[in-house]
Amino acid sequence: MQIDQDALGDVIKRLRRAEGQIRGVIAMIEDGRDCAEVVTQLAAVSRALDRAGFKIIATGLRQCVTAEADGEAQTVDVAQLEKLFLSLA
């Protein structure tokens, strides 16, 4: 499965945002910040990573639906998409 360019840009933005959040969490830990604040930021990073993964899966599903609507053979393995989705859920 290939990610289309529009979705790819969005995924990269999400991952870069998560990268910045992770650097922030590391700084928080090094500064001895409160545990609850650190965990809150870790949860935000986790959600950002999940959203990037779900965006990739959604792109695959869109390709599948578009191919079917155009009468083309599906180039996406639906079982693989399901497995990927469940790995994020």
Side-chain angles (χ1 to χ4, degrees):
M1 171 178 68
Q2 296 295 317
I3 304 172
D4 69 31
Q5 291 301 338
D6 293 335
L8 184 62
D10 190 37
V11 168
I12 289 172
K13 276 191 246 178
R14 291 172 191 263
L15 292 174
R16 287 202 171 121
R17 187 175 308 129
E19 179 183 35
Q21 289 174 309
I22 290 170
R23 280 193 301 272
V25 169
I26 291 169
M28 289 173 74
I29 292 169
E30 290 174 343
D31 293 343
R33 297 277 297 271
D34 182 63
C35 212
E37 293 175 19
V38 171
V39 171
T40 298
Q41 289 305 309
L42 283 173
V45 171
S46 180
R47 284 190 304 273
L49 292 173
D50 286 345
R51 285 186 192 116
F54 285 127
K55 182 71 173 183
I56 292 169
I57 293 168
T59 298
L61 290 172
R62 192 175 312 110
Q63 289 173 355
C64 193
V65 169
T66 302
E68 187 176 312
D70 293 342
E72 299 172 7
Q74 292 181 356
T75 59
V76 177
D77 182 355
V78 177
Q80 180 186 15
L81 283 173
E82 181 180 348
K83 185 176 178 180
L84 291 170
F85 178 81
L86 291 173
S87 72
L88 289 173

